[in-house]
Amino acid sequence: MGLMNILKLWGRMRNKSIFYIVSIFAILCTFSCSIVPRPEKHITVRSAFLEPDTANRQQFSILFYNLENLYDTIDDPTKNDDDFLPTSPKKWNTFTYYNKLNNISKVIIASGAWHTTDIIGVAEVENKNCLLDLTHKTALSRKQYEIVHYDSPDGRGIDVALLYNPQTFEVTYSQALPVYFGNSQISTTRDILYVKGCMKATYDSLHVFVCHFPSRLGGKTASDAKRAAAAQVLRKTVDSIQTQNAEARIVIIGDFNDTPTDESIAKILKAHTAYNDTCMNCLTNIIDHRAQGTYCYKNEWYFLDQTIVSNAVVRNYSVLSRVQQHDFLLETNQKTGTKTPKRSYKGTFYTKGYSDHLPVLLSLWYKTP
């Protein structure tokens, strides 16, 4: 083959190679363009106070959930846990315990939806080991939550606690605030948990209180003074924080065993919807049209679980508070036809339920300048 023939053959092969390369590149571009997802449509959620734009503002979420008797299966002689042992009439055992843990993790994940909940306040947990099992041995293990917990002097051996996502919130201080009744120097109820930290996205300090006020055992009127005592301890601490910093971001969550209009909330904590008060009750505005309540007793609903914020939070954040009413958390009363929270037990019969309370979620969106 002559030199001229070799050069002609090489030219044809080179042209074909360039053609093939260009063709493949065009096909890949066309295919890649076809699979690029369309921009997500951001939904504006209507709040009782403001309308946060989720497209433009950083979200920070705080959940509160009364877990209804999260006990382990080990007998603790220092606590009244006899109803939650394998030998008890309820036959509380490893299966029921881990089933409840998995149920709780399901609720927390569902409440956060596509956004990992940054802070979770819980009530009615026996000890830190229960929280470690919850955060390490369920689907929550992927979230890597850390724990703030103190053993309290509650007669039933139940405490409040706080879980937090260390990637979005850094704890700098925590304290258990005891509640005393009358002139007693001994506390016999669960402490109020105070946690101070920093929201990493905005570098704002945040003061969080997790509460479980004394129950209505013995009747509401007979127990009002106990909840008033708890509210006074909380109010005193909030006043102290606001005296040092009037713009302190304060969030109060919990099961108050009182409604937003009862004395402990409305008069002592001064948690109203009016902007000129020291605190705002985020659930007060949504009672009539968002949910019936968070707790149902004798077929009557009550807003016992609430989220309360300082006015500094409202000035700097768009605020949305809502009751989490997932269908799987509710069951239909066969006698009345009404829906109530699906509990773990009916008497001594295990129902594979969740809690007698519904969780409440507080979402904050930072107001960009």
Side-chain angles (χ1 to χ4, degrees), residues 128-192:
K128 190 173 183 178
N129 287 334
C130 294
L131 297 170
L132 288 170
D133 287 340
L134 175 64
T135 55
H136 288 74
K137 298 180 181 180
T138 69
L140 284 182
S141 62
R142 292 173 292 180
K143 307 297 183 181
Q144 298 183 331
Y145 282 108
E146 295 188 9
I147 301 166
V148 181
H149 168 268
Y150 294 88
D151 282 313
S152 73
D154 177 80
R156 293 175 53 212
I158 53 174
D159 310 320
V160 295
L162 184 138
L163 312 178
Y164 66 97
N165 179 359
Q167 295 180 354
T168 59
F169 185 72
E170 180 182 359
V171 172
T172 57
Y173 178 79
S174 67
Q175 179 184 2
L177 306 174
V179 176
Y180 302 102
F181 302 140
N183 296 322
S184 175
Q185 299 300 311
I186 300 175
S187 176
T188 58
T189 189
R190 42 258 174 189
D191 300 326
I192 297 171

Side-chain angles (χ1 to χ4, degrees), residues 62-300:
I62 302 170
L63 182 76
F64 174 77
Y65 194 21
N66 183 321
L67 306 182
E68 190 195 14
N69 299 323
L70 179 58
Y71 286 86
D72 61 23
T73 61
I74 303 170
D75 186 17
D76 185 341
T78 66
K79 296 181 178 179
N80 185 13
D81 60 356
D82 293 347
D83 287 339
F84 292 91
L85 297 173
T87 56
S88 72
K90 291 183 177 181
K91 295 181 174 56
W92 183 251
N93 54 36
T94 301
F95 170 78
T96 54
Y97 173 61
Y98 277 98
N99 188 75
K100 187 173 179 74
L101 289 175
N102 285 315
N103 281 351
I104 293 169
S105 71
K106 178 182 177 181
V107 176
I108 292 173
I109 292 171
S111 296
W114 299 109
H115 177 81
T116 299
T117 306
D118 301 289
I119 290 176
I120 303 164
V122 296
E124 293 200 17
V125 59
E126 182 183 12
N127 52 46
K128 190 173 183 178
N129 287 334
C130 294
L131 297 170
L132 288 170
D133 287 340
L134 175 64
T135 55
H136 288 74
K137 298 180 181 180
T138 69
L140 284 182
S141 62
R142 292 173 292 180
K143 307 297 183 181
Q144 298 183 331
Y145 282 108
E146 295 188 9
I147 301 166
V148 181
H149 168 268
Y150 294 88
D151 282 313
S152 73
D154 177 80
R156 293 175 53 212
I158 53 174
D159 310 320
V160 295
L162 184 138
L163 312 178
Y164 66 97
N165 179 359
Q167 295 180 354
T168 59
F169 185 72
E170 180 182 359
V171 172
T172 57
Y173 178 79
S174 67
Q175 179 184 2
L177 306 174
V179 176
Y180 302 102
F181 302 140
N183 296 322
S184 175
Q185 299 300 311
I186 300 175
S187 176
T188 58
T189 189
R190 42 258 174 189
D191 300 326
I192 297 171
L193 177 60
Y194 167 50
V195 177
K196 180 182 178 182
C198 175
M199 295 182 285
K200 293 185 176 181
T202 60
Y203 300 102
D204 286 341
S205 292
L206 187 68
H207 305 263
V208 183
F209 293 89
V210 185
C211 309
H212 187 191
F213 280 11
S215 72
R216 298 187 175 192
L217 185 65
K220 180 184 181 305
T221 303
S223 58
D224 274 344
K226 293 183 177 181
R227 287 184 295 282
Q232 287 166 357
V233 171
L234 179 56
R235 181 72 257 177
K236 181 178 179 180
T237 308
V238 169
D239 285 342
S240 176
I241 294 170
Q242 292 183 321
T243 298
Q244 297 178 33
N245 180 10
E247 288 299 307
R249 278 81 161 162
I250 300 172
V251 172
I252 303 168
I253 56 176
D255 171 6
F256 297 92
N257 276 306
D258 266 337
T259 67
T261 57
D262 284 323
E263 180 179 2
S264 65
I265 306 298
K267 294 183 179 180
I268 299 176
L269 287 182
K270 301 177 183 178
H272 306 295
T273 57
Y275 186 75
N276 59 357
D277 287 321
T278 55
C279 290
M280 296 183 71
N281 194 319
C282 302
L283 284 179
T284 308
N285 273 358
I286 65 173
I287 289 177
D288 293 333
H289 58 89
R290 286 188 183 271
Q292 292 178 283
T294 62
Y295 178 80
C296 188
Y297 179 68
K298 293 184 178 180
N299 294 319
E300 287 192 37

Side-chain angles (χ1 to χ4, degrees), residues 311-357:
N311 275 349
V313 171
V314 181
R315 282 193 288 270
N316 291 276
Y317 289 83
S318 296
V319 180
L320 173 65
S321 185
R322 54 199 162 176
V323 179
Q324 301 297 286
Q325 298 186 99
H326 308 297
D327 289 340
F328 63 84
L329 290 177
L330 301 169
E331 62 180 355
T332 303
N333 187 310
Q334 300 301 321
K335 294 182 180 179
T336 63
T338 58
K339 289 188 175 182
T340 59
K342 187 175 182 181
R343 307 182 59 165
S344 298
Y345 276 91
K346 289 183 178 178
T348 58
F349 178 71
Y350 181 60
T351 63
K352 300 181 181 180
Y354 301 85
S355 171
D356 56 348
H357 288 251

